[in-house]
Structure formats: C-alpha cells, structure tokens
mmCIF file of all heavy atoms in Angstrom:
data_model
loop_
_atom_site.group_PDB
_atom_site.id
_atom_site.type_symbol
_atom_site.label_atom_id
_atom_site.label_comp_id
_atom_site.label_asym_id
_atom_site.label_seq_id
_atom_site.Cartn_x
_atom_site.Cartn_y
_atom_site.Cartn_z
ATOM 1 N N PRO A 101 1.716 8.920 3.725
ATOM 2 C CA PRO A 101 2.178 8.387 2.423
ATOM 3 C C PRO A 101 3.623 8.006 2.616
ATOM 4 O O PRO A 101 4.367 8.554 3.388
ATOM 5 C CB PRO A 101 2.002 9.540 1.409
ATOM 6 C CG PRO A 101 1.950 10.779 2.348
ATOM 7 C CD PRO A 101 1.314 10.314 3.628
ATOM 8 N N ARG A 102 4.162 7.136 1.871
ATOM 9 C CA ARG A 102 5.483 6.723 1.771
ATOM 10 C C ARG A 102 5.985 6.527 0.324
ATOM 11 O O ARG A 102 5.104 6.218 -0.538
ATOM 12 C CB ARG A 102 5.896 5.486 2.620
ATOM 13 C CG ARG A 102 5.223 4.184 2.121
ATOM 14 C CD ARG A 102 5.631 3.032 2.941
ATOM 15 N NE ARG A 102 5.118 1.775 2.365
ATOM 16 C CZ ARG A 102 5.678 1.027 1.339
ATOM 17 N NH1 ARG A 102 6.794 1.552 0.914
ATOM 18 N NH2 ARG A 102 5.191 -0.126 0.947
ATOM 19 N N ILE A 103 7.206 6.700 0.032
ATOM 20 C CA ILE A 103 7.744 6.523 -1.264
ATOM 21 C C ILE A 103 8.670 5.351 -1.216
ATOM 22 O O ILE A 103 9.645 5.285 -0.343
ATOM 23 C CB ILE A 103 8.535 7.835 -1.739
ATOM 24 C CG1 ILE A 103 7.461 8.991 -1.884
ATOM 25 C CG2 ILE A 103 9.083 7.598 -3.089
ATOM 26 C CD1 ILE A 103 8.050 10.294 -2.152
ATOM 27 N N ASP A 104 8.428 4.448 -2.054
ATOM 28 C CA ASP A 104 9.364 3.219 -2.204
ATOM 29 C C ASP A 104 10.640 3.492 -2.884
ATOM 30 O O ASP A 104 10.720 4.841 -3.456
ATOM 31 C CB ASP A 104 8.668 2.038 -2.693
ATOM 32 C CG ASP A 104 8.425 2.057 -4.175
ATOM 33 O OD1 ASP A 104 8.753 2.990 -4.815
ATOM 34 O OD2 ASP A 104 7.842 0.973 -4.693
ATOM 35 N N THR A 105 11.595 2.631 -3.057
ATOM 36 C CA THR A 105 12.854 2.866 -3.602
ATOM 37 C C THR A 105 12.709 3.150 -5.174
ATOM 38 O O THR A 105 13.583 3.697 -5.732
ATOM 39 C CB THR A 105 13.804 1.811 -3.354
ATOM 40 O OG1 THR A 105 13.267 0.530 -3.912
ATOM 41 C CG2 THR A 105 14.087 1.650 -1.890
ATOM 42 N N ALA A 106 11.587 2.821 -5.786
ATOM 43 C CA ALA A 106 11.311 3.014 -7.108
ATOM 44 C C ALA A 106 10.622 4.396 -7.389
ATOM 45 O O ALA A 106 10.474 4.824 -8.531
ATOM 46 C CB ALA A 106 10.546 1.986 -7.762
ATOM 47 N N GLY A 107 10.205 5.082 -6.232
ATOM 48 C CA GLY A 107 9.514 6.269 -6.420
ATOM 49 C C GLY A 107 7.996 6.291 -6.461
ATOM 50 O O GLY A 107 7.348 7.218 -6.627
ATOM 51 N N ASN A 108 7.550 4.956 -6.253
ATOM 52 C CA ASN A 108 6.100 4.900 -6.202
ATOM 53 C C ASN A 108 5.471 5.287 -4.879
ATOM 54 O O ASN A 108 6.237 5.141 -3.862
ATOM 55 C CB ASN A 108 5.651 3.384 -6.429
ATOM 56 C CG ASN A 108 6.059 2.847 -7.770
ATOM 57 O OD1 ASN A 108 5.759 3.563 -8.856
ATOM 58 N ND2 ASN A 108 6.591 1.686 -7.746
ATOM 59 N N ILE A 109 4.328 5.941 -4.867
ATOM 60 C CA ILE A 109 3.729 6.331 -3.490
ATOM 61 C C ILE A 109 2.783 5.314 -2.936
ATOM 62 O O ILE A 109 1.946 4.836 -3.813
ATOM 63 C CB ILE A 109 3.033 7.672 -3.922
ATOM 64 C CG1 ILE A 109 4.044 8.727 -4.358
ATOM 65 C CG2 ILE A 109 2.323 8.202 -2.500
ATOM 66 C CD1 ILE A 109 3.206 9.936 -4.913
ATOM 67 N N TYR A 110 2.860 5.086 -1.682
ATOM 68 C CA TYR A 110 2.017 4.029 -1.069
ATOM 69 C C TYR A 110 1.396 4.669 0.253
ATOM 70 O O TYR A 110 2.003 5.550 0.763
ATOM 71 C CB TYR A 110 2.805 2.884 -0.644
ATOM 72 C CG TYR A 110 3.173 1.905 -1.802
ATOM 73 C CD1 TYR A 110 4.310 1.962 -2.387
ATOM 74 C CD2 TYR A 110 2.263 0.820 -2.035
ATOM 75 C CE1 TYR A 110 4.721 1.092 -3.511
ATOM 76 C CE2 TYR A 110 2.633 -0.009 -3.160
ATOM 77 C CZ TYR A 110 3.721 0.132 -3.865
ATOM 78 O OH TYR A 110 4.113 -0.827 -4.811
ATOM 79 N N ALA A 111 0.235 4.236 0.411
ATOM 80 C CA ALA A 111 -0.293 4.585 1.870
ATOM 81 C C ALA A 111 -1.333 3.413 2.201
ATOM 82 O O ALA A 111 -1.882 2.715 1.350
ATOM 83 C CB ALA A 111 -1.199 5.849 1.754
ATOM 84 N N ARG A 112 -1.337 3.112 3.528
ATOM 85 C CA ARG A 112 -1.948 1.833 3.978
ATOM 86 C C ARG A 112 -3.144 2.087 4.765
ATOM 87 O O ARG A 112 -3.007 2.888 5.878
ATOM 88 C CB ARG A 112 -1.054 0.768 4.633
ATOM 89 C CG ARG A 112 -1.665 -0.391 5.250
ATOM 90 C CD ARG A 112 -0.759 -1.585 5.569
ATOM 91 N NE ARG A 112 -0.235 -2.165 4.245
ATOM 92 C CZ ARG A 112 0.437 -3.385 4.300
ATOM 93 N NH1 ARG A 112 0.626 -3.956 5.394
ATOM 94 N NH2 ARG A 112 0.879 -3.840 3.152
ATOM 95 N N LEU A 113 -4.296 1.273 4.706
ATOM 96 C CA LEU A 113 -5.306 1.242 5.629
ATOM 97 C C LEU A 113 -5.175 -0.184 6.163
ATOM 98 O O LEU A 113 -5.443 -1.104 5.560
ATOM 99 C CB LEU A 113 -6.657 1.445 4.977
ATOM 100 C CG LEU A 113 -7.902 1.367 5.911
ATOM 101 C CD1 LEU A 113 -7.989 2.389 6.937
ATOM 102 C CD2 LEU A 113 -9.118 1.400 5.088
ATOM 103 N N GLU A 114 -4.908 -0.350 7.501
ATOM 104 C CA GLU A 114 -4.791 -1.667 8.148
ATOM 105 C C GLU A 114 -6.039 -2.418 8.041
ATOM 106 O O GLU A 114 -7.105 -1.805 8.260
ATOM 107 C CB GLU A 114 -4.284 -1.560 9.540
ATOM 108 C CG GLU A 114 -2.800 -1.032 9.594
ATOM 109 C CD GLU A 114 -1.802 -2.067 8.966
ATOM 110 O OE1 GLU A 114 -2.217 -3.185 8.669
ATOM 111 O OE2 GLU A 114 -0.697 -1.602 8.906
ATOM 112 N N GLY A 115 -6.012 -3.678 7.890
ATOM 113 C CA GLY A 115 -7.183 -4.603 8.078
ATOM 114 C C GLY A 115 -7.331 -5.299 9.380
ATOM 115 O O GLY A 115 -6.437 -5.014 10.220
ATOM 116 N N THR A 116 -8.241 -6.090 9.626
ATOM 117 C CA THR A 116 -8.457 -6.795 10.863
ATOM 118 C C THR A 116 -7.432 -7.956 11.027
ATOM 119 O O THR A 116 -7.133 -8.456 12.085
ATOM 120 C CB THR A 116 -9.853 -7.214 11.014
ATOM 121 O OG1 THR A 116 -10.212 -8.162 9.941
ATOM 122 C CG2 THR A 116 -10.794 -6.097 10.914
ATOM 123 N N ASN A 117 -7.004 -8.384 9.842
ATOM 124 C CA ASN A 117 -6.063 -9.602 9.781
ATOM 125 C C ASN A 117 -4.736 -9.231 9.279
ATOM 126 O O ASN A 117 -4.571 -9.200 7.961
ATOM 127 C CB ASN A 117 -6.567 -10.694 9.196
ATOM 128 C CG ASN A 117 -5.828 -12.058 9.288
ATOM 129 O OD1 ASN A 117 -4.660 -11.990 9.601
ATOM 130 N ND2 ASN A 117 -6.463 -13.100 9.093
ATOM 131 N N ARG A 118 -3.754 -8.786 10.013
ATOM 132 C CA ARG A 118 -2.483 -8.332 9.388
ATOM 133 C C ARG A 118 -1.594 -9.456 8.810
ATOM 134 O O ARG A 118 -0.530 -9.213 8.164
ATOM 135 C CB ARG A 118 -1.595 -7.657 10.473
ATOM 136 C CG ARG A 118 -2.335 -6.321 10.948
ATOM 137 C CD ARG A 118 -1.295 -5.533 11.858
ATOM 138 N NE ARG A 118 -1.883 -4.273 12.278
ATOM 139 C CZ ARG A 118 -1.205 -3.271 12.836
ATOM 140 N NH1 ARG A 118 -0.035 -3.407 13.007
ATOM 141 N NH2 ARG A 118 -1.907 -2.143 13.274
ATOM 142 N N THR A 119 -2.045 -10.797 8.957
ATOM 143 C CA THR A 119 -1.302 -11.896 8.281
ATOM 144 C C THR A 119 -1.676 -11.883 6.803
ATOM 145 O O THR A 119 -1.018 -12.673 6.047
ATOM 146 C CB THR A 119 -1.577 -13.208 8.942
ATOM 147 O OG1 THR A 119 -2.915 -13.458 8.906
ATOM 148 C CG2 THR A 119 -1.247 -13.024 10.465
ATOM 149 N N LEU A 120 -2.747 -11.294 6.448
ATOM 150 C CA LEU A 120 -3.201 -11.352 5.002
ATOM 151 C C LEU A 120 -2.389 -10.458 4.180
ATOM 152 O O LEU A 120 -2.166 -9.318 4.515
ATOM 153 C CB LEU A 120 -4.667 -11.166 4.980
ATOM 154 C CG LEU A 120 -5.589 -12.123 5.705
ATOM 155 C CD1 LEU A 120 -7.082 -11.623 5.591
ATOM 156 C CD2 LEU A 120 -5.446 -13.620 5.042
ATOM 157 N N SER A 121 -2.229 -10.700 2.920
ATOM 158 C CA SER A 121 -1.623 -9.881 1.832
ATOM 159 C C SER A 121 -2.532 -8.724 1.595
ATOM 160 O O SER A 121 -3.827 -8.878 1.661
ATOM 161 C CB SER A 121 -1.334 -10.567 0.555
ATOM 162 O OG SER A 121 -0.376 -11.629 0.847
ATOM 163 N N PRO A 122 -2.072 -7.470 1.406
ATOM 164 C CA PRO A 122 -2.855 -6.336 1.099
ATOM 165 C C PRO A 122 -3.627 -6.333 -0.417
ATOM 166 O O PRO A 122 -3.084 -6.915 -1.219
ATOM 167 C CB PRO A 122 -1.828 -5.211 1.132
ATOM 168 C CG PRO A 122 -0.651 -5.822 0.683
ATOM 169 C CD PRO A 122 -0.609 -7.205 1.169
ATOM 170 N N ILE A 123 -4.660 -5.728 -0.351
ATOM 171 C CA ILE A 123 -5.361 -5.298 -1.535
ATOM 172 C C ILE A 123 -4.671 -4.054 -2.084
ATOM 173 O O ILE A 123 -4.501 -3.180 -1.355
ATOM 174 C CB ILE A 123 -6.848 -5.062 -1.379
ATOM 175 C CG1 ILE A 123 -7.609 -6.244 -0.795
ATOM 176 C CG2 ILE A 123 -7.485 -4.736 -2.647
ATOM 177 C CD1 ILE A 123 -8.942 -5.841 -0.103
ATOM 178 N N LEU A 124 -4.278 -4.178 -3.310
ATOM 179 C CA LEU A 124 -3.687 -3.064 -3.945
ATOM 180 C C LEU A 124 -4.585 -2.263 -4.844
ATOM 181 O O LEU A 124 -5.361 -2.861 -5.762
ATOM 182 C CB LEU A 124 -2.398 -3.439 -4.599
ATOM 183 C CG LEU A 124 -1.297 -2.385 -5.060
ATOM 184 C CD1 LEU A 124 -0.768 -1.810 -3.754
ATOM 185 C CD2 LEU A 124 -0.150 -3.063 -5.815
ATOM 186 N N ILE A 125 -4.787 -0.912 -4.704
ATOM 187 C CA ILE A 125 -5.706 -0.107 -5.595
ATOM 188 C C ILE A 125 -5.169 1.163 -5.825
ATOM 189 O O ILE A 125 -4.557 1.861 -4.941
ATOM 190 C CB ILE A 125 -7.013 -0.065 -4.782
ATOM 191 C CG1 ILE A 125 -8.061 0.833 -5.663
ATOM 192 C CG2 ILE A 125 -6.929 0.667 -3.362
ATOM 193 C CD1 ILE A 125 -9.579 0.904 -5.054
ATOM 194 N N GLY A 126 -5.236 1.664 -7.027
ATOM 195 C CA GLY A 126 -4.535 2.928 -7.456
ATOM 196 C C GLY A 126 -4.393 2.996 -8.943
ATOM 197 O O GLY A 126 -4.938 2.308 -9.697
ATOM 198 N N SER A 127 -3.547 4.036 -9.299
ATOM 199 C CA SER A 127 -3.180 4.432 -10.607
ATOM 200 C C SER A 127 -2.024 5.244 -10.761
ATOM 201 O O SER A 127 -1.055 4.970 -10.169
ATOM 202 C CB SER A 127 -4.473 4.933 -11.371
ATOM 203 O OG SER A 127 -4.253 4.997 -12.744
ATOM 204 N N HIS A 128 -2.073 6.361 -11.578
ATOM 205 C CA HIS A 128 -0.866 7.142 -11.760
ATOM 206 C C HIS A 128 -1.464 8.504 -11.850
ATOM 207 O O HIS A 128 -2.632 8.818 -12.145
ATOM 208 C CB HIS A 128 -0.120 6.805 -13.123
ATOM 209 C CG HIS A 128 -0.910 6.992 -14.318
ATOM 210 N ND1 HIS A 128 -0.882 8.086 -15.038
ATOM 211 C CD2 HIS A 128 -1.664 6.031 -14.949
ATOM 212 C CE1 HIS A 128 -1.566 7.862 -16.073
ATOM 213 N NE2 HIS A 128 -2.142 6.753 -16.065
ATOM 214 N N VAL A 129 -0.544 9.599 -11.709
ATOM 215 C CA VAL A 129 -0.886 10.969 -11.847
ATOM 216 C C VAL A 129 -0.075 11.635 -12.984
ATOM 217 O O VAL A 129 -0.288 12.830 -13.109
ATOM 218 C CB VAL A 129 -0.978 11.739 -10.495
ATOM 219 C CG1 VAL A 129 -2.016 11.160 -9.617
ATOM 220 C CG2 VAL A 129 0.436 11.678 -9.932
#
C-alpha cells in the first residue's frame, strides 16, 4: 500500500499492458 499526498490509500495489481490506464476500484473506511 502507498499513501498519496492527499492521504488516500492505493495498491496496484499490474496488468499485462502497462501502457493502459488503470481500473480504479474501492471505497472508504
């Protein structure tokens, strides 16, 4: 996990094509 400058938490699962934009999925706690 990483925390961006706004305090949001992110974590990435790489895809087969890194040139494509990511799918974003989540919510809040």
Side-chain angles (χ1 to χ4, degrees):
R102 68 176 181 85
I103 299 175
D104 72 0
T105 57
N108 298 312
I109 301 170
Y110 285 89
R112 171 165 292 194
L113 177 67
E114 292 293 352
T116 59
N117 188 343
R118 295 193 177 191
T119 66
L120 296 177
S121 299
I123 302 164
L124 200 58
I125 178 172
S127 191
H128 63 94
V129 295

